[in-house]
């Protein structure tokens, strides 16, 4: 009983095409969607970066899929603006939207001209943003002075219930820290033992809600083509933290990618021409305890991947739709909070 979602990569695909892709994915049997939220791509070869929140409204209206977004409040977005965007989508599409709140990357957040804080400060800022956003979504008037400042913020349009706020983590330490506030966990594919440590740390710290996993993959009819696609599009993305957090420009990512080999890319992207192998890899994640898998085909042309996985992979995994994306704060409690 696992959700198999389609990841919408704004860094690689223009939003008009991506909207057609996610409609195609729903027709092929994918049961959810997830969206990135970047100002810049990771590489000039990717070459796109549409505004995720505009796309999300269109995608939720054009499909029946539930959707999530991975976003970073605190610098590029004031937390009150993030809260307003979350509330509006959740009010328009009840039970179909969640937002993962992370500390961000310099390539997207430094556009404001403000200094890029150290990681521990970014983590503390994120925690403040989470509290502000949750209070605003609960109907409170919020004033806050800290690493972010809010002056008498209030959301006038609210959903019937507060949508889930999800903790994105790539390390056990971050997963355990997020467990205190998050309604769910999301991470990205890593070696099996690393994923096990992330999931265990979250659960052992009291983490609740579904465990979501984004999986970078490349498929083509031949192994050479599958590897070539991955190397072309994803070699700028193989660098882990802190490099991925602190590098500011597309040009710098491309320079770092010049000496990345196809074999190195295959260490972070599931590359195979064998659809049975892809099915087996996905089943391993299911068996490990991940409740929702979000598949990111790292190529720019999505149709062939969608058709192949819809015909040969998804039926083997029997994906289900997720339960409604809501938390337990009803409208009456929000009105009491406002009183």
């Amino acid at each position: 009983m696992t959700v198999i979602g389609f990841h919408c990569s704004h860094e690689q695909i223009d939003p008009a095409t991506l909207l057609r892709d996610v409609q195609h994915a729903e027709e092929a049997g994918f049961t959810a969607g997830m969206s990135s939220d970047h100002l810049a791509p990771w590489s000039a070869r990717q070459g796109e970066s549409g505004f995720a929140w505009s796309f999300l409204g269109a995608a939720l209206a054009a499909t029946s899929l539930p959707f999530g977004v991975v976003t970073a409040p605190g610098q590029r977005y004031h937390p009150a603006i993030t809260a307003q965007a979350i509330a509006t989508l959740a009010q328009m599409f009840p039970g179909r939207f969640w937002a993962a709140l992370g500390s961000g990357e310099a390539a997207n957040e430094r556009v404001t001209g403000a200094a890029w804080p150290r990681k521990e400060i970014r983590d503390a800022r994120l925690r403040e943003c989470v509290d502000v956003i949750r209070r605003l979504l609960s109907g409170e008037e919020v004033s806050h002075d800290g690493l972010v400042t809010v002056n008498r913020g209030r959301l006038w349009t609210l959903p019937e219930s507060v949508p889930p706020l999800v903790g994105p983590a790539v390390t056990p330490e971050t997963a355990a820290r997020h467990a205190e506030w998050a309604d769910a966990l999301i991470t990205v594919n890593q070696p099996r033992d690393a994923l096990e440590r992330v999931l265990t740390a979250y659960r052992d710290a009291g983490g609740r809600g579904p465990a979501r996993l984004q999986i970078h993959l490349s498929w083509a009819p031949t192994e050479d083509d599958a590897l070539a696609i991955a190397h072309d599009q994803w070699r700028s993305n193989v660098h882990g933290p802190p490099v991925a957090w602190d590098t500011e420009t597309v040009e710098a990512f491309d320079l770092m990618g010049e000496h990345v080999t196809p074999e190195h890319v295959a260490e972070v992207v599931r590359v195979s021409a064998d659809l049975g192998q892809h099915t087996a890899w996905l089943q391993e994640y299911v068996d490990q305890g991940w409740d929702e898998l979000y598949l990111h085909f790292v190529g720019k042309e999505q149709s062939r991947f969608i058709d192949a996985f819809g015909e040969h992979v998804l039926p083997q995994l029997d994906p289900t739709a997720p339960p409604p994306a809501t938390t337990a704060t009803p409208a009456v409690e929000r009105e009491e909070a406002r009183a």
Side-chain angles (χ1 to χ4, degrees):
M1 302 292 287
T2 302
V3 174
I4 307 292
F6 177 79
H7 176 67
C8 300
S9 180
H10 290 280
E11 307 94 291
Q12 299 175 273
I13 303 166
D14 72 77
T17 301
L18 200 54
L19 184 60
R20 293 191 292 270
D21 288 337
V22 75
Q23 290 173 301
H24 186 181
E26 181 180 31
E27 294 168 358
F30 287 83
T31 57
M34 189 178 85
S35 172
S36 59
D37 179 13
H38 283 235
L39 184 71
W42 300 99
S43 167
R45 292 182 308 280
Q46 295 174 350
E48 297 288 347
S49 206
F51 187 53
W53 297 92
S54 300
F55 169 83
L56 284 162
L60 283 158
T63 72
S64 62
L65 298 176
F67 258 88
V69 66
V70 182
T71 190
Q75 190 155 331
R76 180 169 45 125
Y77 297 133
H78 189 279
I81 301 304
T82 300
Q84 186 182 32
I86 292 170
T88 297
L89 289 177
Q91 193 277 335
M92 294 174 70
F93 306 100
R96 291 178 55 201
F97 184 67
W98 53 266
L101 306 178
S103 58
E105 296 116 356
N108 303 304
E109 310 309 318
R110 279 281 285 129
V111 68
T112 64
W116 182 237
R118 299 187 308 274
K119 183 62 165 67
E120 64 268 25
I121 296 174
R122 300 199 304 272
D123 288 342
R125 180 175 68 183
L126 171 63
R127 191 64 184 83
E128 291 184 19
C129 288
V130 169
D131 287 342
V132 166
I133 291 167
R134 197 177 292 280
R135 290 174 62 195
L136 288 168
L137 291 171
S138 297
E140 295 184 42
E141 180 179 284
V142 177
S143 293
H144 178 84
D145 294 291
L147 293 169
V148 292
T149 300
V150 184
N151 179 51
R152 300 183 65 181
R154 175 179 173 180
L155 298 181
W156 291 85
T157 295
L158 292 165
E160 280 299 308
S161 62
V162 176
L165 303 181
V166 178
V170 295
T171 67
E173 294 77 16
T174 301
R177 188 167 58 248
H178 286 345
E180 188 270 330
W181 63 263
D183 298 310
L185 170 72
I186 189 164
T187 190
V188 67
N189 62 293
Q190 303 180 64
R192 182 179 178 85
D193 59 344
L195 285 177
E196 186 69 37
R197 289 193 294 271
V198 170
L199 184 56
T200 298
Y202 182 73
R203 295 301 187 202
D204 286 353
R208 61 190 182 271
R212 299 182 170 110
L213 177 64
Q214 181 189 16
I215 301 157
H216 303 307
L217 63 91
S218 185
W219 170 85
T222 71
E223 292 289 335
D224 288 346
D225 285 349
L227 188 57
I229 289 168
H231 186 243
D232 176 69
Q233 284 293 295
W234 216 245
R235 65 178 180 264
S236 300
N237 299 64
V238 302
H239 308 286
V243 174
W245 296 335
D246 294 338
T247 302
E248 289 191 16
T249 67
V250 171
E251 292 79 10
F253 277 109
D254 275 335
L255 282 172
M256 291 188 296
E258 284 184 359
H259 302 291
V260 173
T261 65
E263 291 72 25
H264 190 184
V265 176
E267 294 175 5
V268 297
V269 178
R270 290 293 203 179
V271 178
S272 180
D274 183 350
L275 291 167
Q277 177 63 78
H278 281 287
T279 303
W281 282 330
L282 297 179
Q283 186 62 56
E284 289 176 6
Y285 296 129
V286 173
D287 295 341
Q288 192 175 37
W290 298 97
D291 302 298
E292 301 183 16
L293 308 181
Y294 289 85
L295 310 190
H296 172 212
F297 170 60
V298 298
K300 297 186 73 167
E301 301 296 330
Q302 299 284 308
S303 291
R304 187 170 61 174
F305 151 73
I306 292 168
D307 287 336
F309 273 61
E311 182 176 356
H312 299 288
V313 176
L314 300 187
Q316 306 303 314
L317 300 168
D318 193 23
T320 61
T326 60
T327 59
T329 305
V332 64
E333 291 183 18
R334 295 203 306 273
E335 292 305 315
E336 289 173 356
R338 281 181 162 180

